[in-house]
Amino acid sequence: MSNAAHHPHPHAVQFPAQERLASGAQYINGTLRPGTSGRTHSVIDPATGAEVYTYELASAADVDAAVAAAKAAFPGWAGLTPGERSDALHRFAAVLAERAEEFARAESLQCGKPLKLTREFDVPGTVDNAAFFAGAARHLQGQSAGEYSGDHTSYVRREPIGVVGSIAPWNYPLQMAAWKILPAVAAGNTIVLKPAEITPLTSLLFAEAATAAGIPDGVINIVTGTGKEAGEHLVAHPDVAMTSFTGSTAVGKRVAEVATATVKRIHLELGGKAPFVVFDDADLEAAANGAVAGALINTGQDCTAATRAYVQRPLYEAFVERTKQLMETVRLGDPFAPDTDLGPLISHAQRDRVAGFVERARGYARIVTGGEAPKNDGAYFQPTLIADAAQDSEVVQSEIFGPVLVVLPFDSDDEGLELANDTPYGLAASAWTRDVFRANRATREIKAGCVWINDHIPIISEMPHGGYKASGFGKDMSSYSFEEYTQVKHVMYDNTAVAAKDWHRTIFGDR
């Protein structure tokens, strides 16, 4: 562990959250304001344990105010032409790009992400999402008009749903805010987003940037409160037409229960336990490098992270050894130091949770490397490689959400693909092979919303992200996300001008 974690850079150099967001952590109708719950919450820098931002949490009344603002803004925003919404989103992308460094520093401060990750992944990805949806706003197409019955002209309209109430997680606060907000507003909806109360900084900056870009007040609102108070009230709100939630499968089930009471549209992106299937003809060096990067991105706090490596037996020992060697080169340290590879977990509680999984695994598996929390003030945990665990064991079946990779051997191709599918989840997966037939078979048979071949993790704005099975349903990003955020309406015109139509005789009278 480098000394950087003990001697963080000066507070102001990181991101002066208390001064920058002094007006409060609620962004309602174009203005930052304090919450009215009477309770405060502190954002903790997980690298040092220091409090970096203390704010008043949202109450149900704040949620009501945000929903009312979104409801009032909806007719005007929905009534704009696609070109006008597109222009506004292009300006938004430009403002985000201008403020990129501020976003990167705020995200690193609240999440403990290395600055190189926020600068090169989180922030550019978000700017690109905004640019993509600026273009996509002009392509909300339905089925072309035609005379499908012979006597009528039919066409399909896509219309915005109304007020969207979304809940985002703490692992990628900026990207998740963008994934929730951008397709919703591009389609003509207005939105109230509840970020995780431990990571609100970049969601608030995002909403401020929207206002600076000229997006009307009330179109994008942020309420920062607890899931129990602000989140449940938002999902249950009668004026919220749709809810989109990203987070754990357990909380997703609760969101679905609450939303069902008012028959809302629901979009859920839930947990994952991504398999990483290495066939015996794979490039070993590529697979080992991919496994370390895919398992450790964001300190493993990624629902698409590589968590279960299945390696065909001829390559198994060599893969374990090479992955161990590479993991041991990873540098833990201050997220703001240029040579840091791995930052802390989001909190000490999350670190302890990860440590618990690893400690229990010692009883039934082999810890190849790592497995310890360094002795310092931050929520750090060493990159950890586990081998010789059974398929039905906890570390193989449960989402750990930390820098932990489990490696298991398999013999036949059939077995490898069967093991890959053998968890409740189905968000992402990868297969490593030089054989085009093996690759094609893996993409067909692995039940996941994304299957990579000879890579693991890259995502792009043009392509959809979303899961199978317990990983939820619906898509973020891409034009497919409009399936979530639009109503499809069939319009049908009679072309005959005949008063007594032939089909009427099935109801009354004779031909």
Side-chain angles (χ1 to χ4, degrees), residues 216-402:
D217 293 348
V219 172
I220 297 171
N221 306 275
I222 309 291
V223 288
T224 311
T226 64
K228 200 153 189 62
E229 187 168 5
E232 293 221 3
H233 192 66
L234 179 62
V235 174
H237 202 292
D239 288 338
V240 170
M242 173 190 164
T243 191
S244 175
F245 169 80
T246 297
S248 71
T249 298
V251 179
K253 289 176 182 174
R254 177 62 186 156
V255 167
E257 280 175 24
V258 174
T260 302
T262 48
V263 198
K264 285 179 173 41
R265 176 85 64 95
I266 311 173
H267 168 221
L268 300 174
E269 201 264 82
L270 308 177
K273 189 72 178 173
F276 185 102
V277 183
V278 183
F279 292 101
D280 57 15
D281 69 322
D283 179 327
L284 178 66
E285 189 67 10
N289 276 275
V292 173
L296 300 185
I297 185 171
N298 203 32
T299 317
Q301 298 166 125
D302 185 314
C303 42
T304 63
T307 59
R308 300 178 288 139
Y310 295 102
V311 184
Q312 208 151 20
R313 210 170 290 274
L315 282 186
Y316 179 72
E317 291 300 340
F319 177 89
V320 171
E321 179 57 31
R322 185 62 182 134
T323 303
K324 169 184 184 287
Q325 290 170 359
L326 289 170
M327 270 196 180
E328 289 173 352
T329 69
V330 172
R331 299 161 297 183
L332 278 69
D334 172 14
F336 287 85
D339 60 348
T340 292
D341 295 320
L342 199 73
L345 290 150
I346 189 68
S347 66
H348 289 78
Q350 180 66 10
R351 181 200 63 191
D352 294 346
R353 182 176 174 276
V354 171
F357 275 103
V358 175
E359 282 309 306
R360 291 188 295 276
R362 289 184 196 278
Y364 57 79
R366 172 165 60 104
I367 311 301
V368 178
T369 190
E372 302 287 343
K375 301 285 186 283
N376 61 66
D377 296 331
Y380 290 86
F381 198 82
Q382 292 173 344
T384 300
L385 186 64
I386 299 177
D388 306 334
Q391 175 66 15
D392 62 357
S393 62
E394 181 187 53
V395 287
V396 176
Q397 293 293 325
S398 298
E399 188 171 33
I400 298 171
F401 232 55

